[in-house]
Amino acid sequence: MAGHDEQAIEKEISAKGLNAPRLKPEDIDAAIVEEKYHVFDGTTLTVCCLVLKNGFTVTGESAAASASNFDEQIGRKIAKENARNKIWALEGYLLRNRLYVDSLKSDS
């Protein structure tokens, strides 16, 4: 699920007419096929494991500095956001590589 900031940025990009190939929040969401969570016993450490369409996994973590502030749902949300942010970099690399390969084909 795209965050508010992502939606605002996408709206701004569209408003400026920037329409070159790019990743959109829905592309990141579409890459995720499963999410798994684990909270380590006796800690506030929450790990989110996102499984991508190709089977690759990406993890994100969160932890409360004070155990009295720990909330599992908030920990899950933060851990998922951190994992999802890693997908942007991976998918960005794939898109850039596709554009590069396509440019080589058109130069031939």
Side-chain angles (χ1 to χ4, degrees):
M1 173 185 282
H4 175 68
D5 290 342
E6 288 178 357
Q7 293 170 350
I9 290 169
E10 182 57 33
K11 187 175 181 180
E12 183 177 354
I13 290 169
S14 294
K16 292 183 177 188
L18 303 173
N19 55 13
R22 69 178 187 276
L23 293 173
K24 297 178 183 176
E26 56 266 23
D27 298 323
I28 303 305
D29 291 334
I32 302 167
V33 296
E34 186 179 0
E35 53 189 75
K36 302 175 185 181
Y37 296 91
H38 182 74
V39 178
F40 288 86
D41 291 339
T43 76
T44 64
L45 176 61
T46 304
V47 175
C48 172
C49 177
L50 299 178
V51 181
L52 307 184
K53 288 188 295 192
N54 66 0
F56 192 74
T57 58
V58 179
T59 60
E61 305 79 24
S62 70
S66 172
S68 60
N69 284 336
F70 178 66
D71 178 280
E72 187 171 344
Q73 291 308 311
I74 293 172
R76 284 176 170 231
K77 181 187 282 188
I78 293 168
K80 181 178 180 181
E81 180 180 341
N82 289 336
R84 208 169 164 280
N85 285 338
K86 294 176 183 179
I87 299 170
W88 280 97
L90 295 168
E91 291 292 324
Y93 172 82
L94 285 175
L95 174 58
R96 182 65 192 119
N97 196 59
R98 268 186 243 123
L99 295 172
Y100 171 70
V101 169
D102 288 348
S103 74
L104 293 176
K105 291 176 185 174
S106 65
D107 289 343
S108 304

